[in-house]
Amino acid sequence: MKKIIALILALILSFSVLSVSSFAADAAGITSFSIKNITDSENDADIAVNWFASNSKYYLFVPAAMSLDEAVIDFAASADVYCGETKLTDGDSAAFLKDKQQMTLTCDGASYDVVIFNESKVASVFIETESGSLDAVHADKEHKEKGKITIINTDGETECAGLLDYIKGRGNSTWGMPKKPYNIKFEEKENLFGMGKSKKWSLIANYADTSLLRNSLAYLAAENAGVPYTPKFTPVDVYINGNYEGAYLLTTRVEVDKTRVNIQNLEDENEEANPDVDIEALPRGGVYGSTSGYLENTKKWIEIPNNPKDITGGYIIETELPSRYDEEISGFVTENSQAIILKSPEYASKEQIEYISGWYQNFENAVYGNKGLAEIAKYCNVESLVDVYLLNEWYANHDAGLTSTYLYKPVNDTLYAGPVWDYDRAFGNCDRIRFGIDYNKPEQWTVCHSRLYGVTILGAGDTSDIPTFYNHITKNQQFIDMCKEKWNGVIKSAVGEAAEYITTEYAENTEGSAVANAIRWNTYGTSDIAVIKTKYAADVKKVADFAQAKADYITANIGVIAEREAETDFEDKFNIFFSNVLEKLVRIFRLENLI
């Protein structure tokens, strides 16, 4: 028996040795390789580019503007590392890479094919997180982590170098995608690329948009059309802790600020009226809970002791899906089932919620009560509604009037539609059919047929027969007449010029970044650069073709109230019926966690 036990132990030991040896072999060779360039001694920020492994190759995504003469290589290996016959030493100048498109490194019997990709012509954002990783940020969208940031412009010069108050996650559906979007906040205001001073900026991932153009096209078109406070943007490559994270769109955020939405800052005035009070820690009032977004004529607020003297303005509000409403701090649900959240002030008092909800309810009543444009104009600027509606119709935006639809209200003034926001799923890039409408077909009306959106326990989303305010107001002939005049007078040429620029010169300038991004995120299932460029060109053409076809359709059909072009099928009708019954039960019994 002892011999048998000894034999078993010997076998176990031999397998253990094999396992350790195998692990040691895996850990042998080059374990890391990067290019570093310390350009910001004040903040001690390393501008690092780590290699990225893909399909048995390693990629160094080097910004075209990065000077390899001033950079050094940095690596860890189990033995000597050679590039050809040349032995490399940690800390050597990276200048030898300037004329290389690829190289083969050898170490400890292993070889590494390395592609040096430096075709990107956009600016670069380098972020170092305090922890040295993104694990905590990715584990919790609301987690805020401090860090350092350096931004290099397209000329290789430092656009800014400073400290981040935080980097955190952002977005709703986009946050669930592999490539994460982020919000960043500087410790001091920065005027990045002439877009105006602010501490707060967004890094939009555009993961769902393989062309990477749709948000840029939407924003430029809105700016050309003269829509106030349209987000400004610039394409960038993002590196976090030395790792290339891909092509992003650096944008201004929808916020109250002199260089953003320039209205009264009620958030700041709340703090001034309540010195030495931690407003974020105050108790909440009103109706909260997982079903609160479905409960009409309810409100939620923060129990702020003191209000500023004037609470008639300084509001930015957003229409939201009822399923997301509970995640937000302050808001209200209208009598017509529309969930509204407050973006500013995010922490609103009861009096402020009562004021802005009453104002919006009057607007809603005027629209749904068919009281005419003169009555609507008492509560919301009609021309702004025309502008934003037409743009969203051209975008074929399936979220218009449902989510990411903003309105703002200055002091002693009406509501205004805008700013525009979030169009990665627009221009024929919609992965679902809503309200019986295929948003990928440009030869049809879309936004004017949209309805409110809800999610039931059946998992169905198209579950409401209540029209959005855009749906309802476009049944007014006077409004449609204004739309025709504005489309033919300003907006048609504005969107045409934007589409021409974004799908030609802008796309050509960002192609290198798009190729690197496609390798990093396996966008096309290949790392063959020539194949990627061909596929990317097809994506750009798809956007251009859709934008032109939709503009042509609007031009040919504008001026007539659009009738419903798609009937709701039996399944949709059943889901709507079931949802409405269920929601009535929720409203009656306030059943928590039912939806």
Side-chain angles (χ1 to χ4, degrees):
M1 179 63 72
K2 289 183 178 179
K3 289 182 178 180
I4 294 174
I5 294 174
L7 179 60
I8 293 172
L9 290 173
L11 288 170
I12 293 173
L13 180 60
S14 66
F15 280 119
S16 299
V17 171
L18 285 173
S19 297
V20 171
S21 299
S22 177
F23 178 78
D26 290 341
I30 306 173
T31 55
S32 67
F33 193 96
S34 64
I35 301 172
K36 286 188 175 181
N37 183 13
I38 302 176
T39 61
D40 182 41
S41 57
E42 180 180 350
N43 290 293
D44 193 28
D46 283 345
I47 307 303
V49 177
N50 302 332
W51 69 1
F52 173 76
S54 174
N55 295 332
S56 75
K57 289 186 178 181
Y58 293 81
Y59 291 82
L60 284 167
F61 298 111
V62 182
M66 184 175 183
S67 173
L68 293 177
D69 288 325
E70 299 174 5
V72 298
I73 58 173
D74 180 87
F75 60 84
S78 61
D80 291 339
V81 175
Y82 289 86
C83 178
E85 299 297 322
T86 304
K87 179 181 177 181
L88 302 182
T89 302
D90 190 30
D92 280 351
S93 170
F96 76 97
L97 297 173
K98 280 194 301 182
D99 299 323
K100 292 183 181 293
Q101 291 183 321
Q102 60 184 27
M103 64 179 175
T104 299
L105 302 179
T106 56
C107 174
D108 211 8
S111 63
Y112 305 81
D113 292 327
V114 182
V115 177
I116 298 93
F117 187 86
N118 63 348
E119 294 185 27
S120 178
K121 301 176 183 178
V122 303
S124 303
V125 176
F126 294 87
I127 294 173
E128 290 182 66
T129 61
E130 195 170 58
S131 67
S133 82
L134 284 170
D135 292 348
V137 174
H138 288 173
D140 178 6
K141 187 176 76 171
E142 299 306 318
H143 175 78
K144 298 177 179 179
E145 183 158 346
K146 291 183 177 296
K148 301 172 184 176
I149 185 169
T150 302
I151 301 179
I152 307 299
N153 65 25
T154 55
D155 294 324
E157 301 170 344
T158 301
E159 179 76 13
C160 82
L163 300 176
L164 287 181
D165 186 33
Y166 65 72
I167 176 174
K168 67 179 290 292
R170 67 162 312 278
N172 292 305
S173 60
T174 53
W175 181 246
M177 297 176 183
K179 181 185 177 188
K180 304 296 183 185
Y182 305 101
N183 282 335
I184 57 175
K185 181 182 178 183
F186 288 82
E187 289 197 347
E188 303 291 337
K189 285 188 174 184
E190 296 284 352
N191 181 12
L192 303 180
F193 303 100
M195 293 190 284
K197 278 192 173 184
S198 180
K199 291 183 179 181
K200 297 179 180 179
W201 301 79
S202 290
L203 290 167
I204 306 301
N206 284 326
Y207 180 79
D209 176 13
T210 52
S211 78
L212 305 175
L213 299 179
R214 288 174 168 87
N215 273 311
S216 301
L217 174 55
Y219 298 155
L220 182 59
E223 183 178 344
N224 287 352
V227 176
Y229 313 130
T230 295
K232 294 179 173 57
F233 63 92
T234 193
V236 295
D237 286 319
V238 173
Y239 301 78
I240 301 181
N241 299 315
N243 299 318
Y244 177 65
E245 298 296 337
Y248 280 74
L249 199 64
L250 175 67
T251 72
T252 59
R253 289 172 60 180
V254 178
E255 61 173 333
V256 175
D257 194 274
K258 290 181 179 179
T259 61
R260 302 298 184 255
V261 181
N262 189 14
I263 58 177
Q264 177 185 4
N265 195 323
L266 203 51
E267 193 99 58
D268 286 351
E269 293 191 3
N270 280 343
E271 293 180 1
E272 293 171 5
N274 297 274
D276 304 321
V277 174
D278 184 357
I279 291 179
E280 295 185 15
L282 292 173
R284 300 182 179 187
V287 178
Y288 287 83
S290 59
T291 63
S292 56
Y294 298 86
L295 305 178
E296 291 122 326
N297 206 25
T298 61
K299 307 171 182 67
K300 58 180 180 178
W301 59 82
I302 304 300
E303 298 286 4
I304 300 176
N306 304 305
N307 283 285
K309 291 182 179 179
D310 191 345
I311 61 170
T312 65
Y315 296 98
I316 302 176
I317 61 176
E318 177 190 1
T319 63
E320 188 52 282
L321 304 184
S323 57
R324 297 175 182 170
Y325 177 79
D326 185 48
E327 301 172 5
E328 305 296 335
I329 305 300
S330 307
F332 56 93
V333 183
T334 72
E335 295 174 2
N336 208 47
S337 301
Q338 177 64 68
I340 301 286
I341 61 174
L342 265 74
K343 302 303 289 186
S344 187
E346 184 179 13
Y347 292 80
S349 70
K350 180 179 181 180
E351 291 78 10
Q352 290 161 6
I353 288 293
E354 292 285 359
Y355 175 82
I356 191 60
S357 66
W359 192 280
Y360 187 89
Q361 189 61 61
N362 286 335
F363 162 63
E364 184 180 89
N365 292 343
V367 172
Y368 289 88
N370 301 314
K371 296 184 178 180
L373 296 191
E375 186 68 16
I376 293 172
K378 293 179 181 178
Y379 305 104
C380 188
N381 181 278
V382 175
E383 187 174 357
S384 72
L385 290 169
V386 168
D387 291 344
V388 175
Y389 163 69
L390 285 172
L391 287 166
N392 276 279
E393 193 68 71
W394 179 65
Y395 303 155
N397 177 28
H398 69 305
D399 281 339
L402 301 169
T403 181
S404 298
T405 299
Y406 289 98
L407 300 99
Y408 61 92
K409 186 182 184 301
V411 172
N412 293 320
D413 204 343
T414 65
L415 288 165
Y416 290 80
V420 297
W421 183 256
D422 189 14
Y423 299 101
D424 59 330
R425 293 285 193 183
F427 298 108
N429 191 38
C430 184
D431 61 352
R432 69 204 69 175
I433 291 178
R434 280 187 180 172
F435 327 115
I437 298 171
D438 185 350
Y439 283 77
N440 295 326
K441 296 180 179 179
E443 292 86 4
Q444 61 180 337
W445 297 106
T446 54
V447 177
C448 63
H449 296 315
S450 61
R451 302 192 301 263
L452 299 191
Y453 187 75
V455 178
T456 72
I457 58 175
L458 295 180
D462 185 9
T463 57
S464 176
D465 53 3
I466 301 173
T468 63
F469 68 81
Y470 278 129
N471 180 325
H472 207 95
I473 200 171
T474 52
K475 304 306 179 283
N476 181 304
Q477 185 61 55
Q478 188 180 357
F479 184 84
I480 291 300
D481 290 342
M482 290 181 66
C483 287
K484 181 176 182 179
E485 181 179 356
K486 196 63 181 285
W487 175 262
N488 291 326
V490 175
I491 294 184
K492 180 171 66 174
S493 61
V495 302
E497 291 170 7
E500 172 66 22
Y501 170 73
I502 292 294
T503 59
T504 55
E505 183 178 340
Y506 182 91
E508 291 169 9
N509 188 57
T510 57
E511 181 195 52
S513 178
V515 172
N517 181 81
I519 296 171
R520 169 65 179 84
W521 292 104
N522 197 29
T523 302
Y524 300 113
T526 179
S527 56
D528 186 306
I529 292 173
V531 172
I532 290 173
K533 287 183 177 181
T534 299
K535 289 182 176 293
Y536 180 70
D539 280 339
V540 173
K541 185 177 185 303
K542 179 181 177 182
V543 175
D545 289 348
F546 188 97
Q548 184 62 58
K550 189 59 187 282
D552 291 344
Y553 181 83
I554 294 174
T555 300
N557 294 278
I558 193 74
V560 178
I561 294 176
E563 300 297 333
R564 176 72 182 186
E565 296 177 349
E567 293 298 325
T568 305
D569 61 24
F570 174 79
E571 182 181 355
D572 286 338
K573 288 179 179 178
F574 175 77
N575 286 333
I576 291 172
F577 170 78
F578 184 89
S579 174
N580 291 342
V581 171
L582 186 63
E583 288 180 26
K584 283 181 173 63
L585 290 174
V586 171
R587 296 179 196 117
I588 293 171
F589 297 106
R590 300 295 197 264
L591 299 178
E592 280 299 300
N593 302 315
L594 182 58
I595 296 178

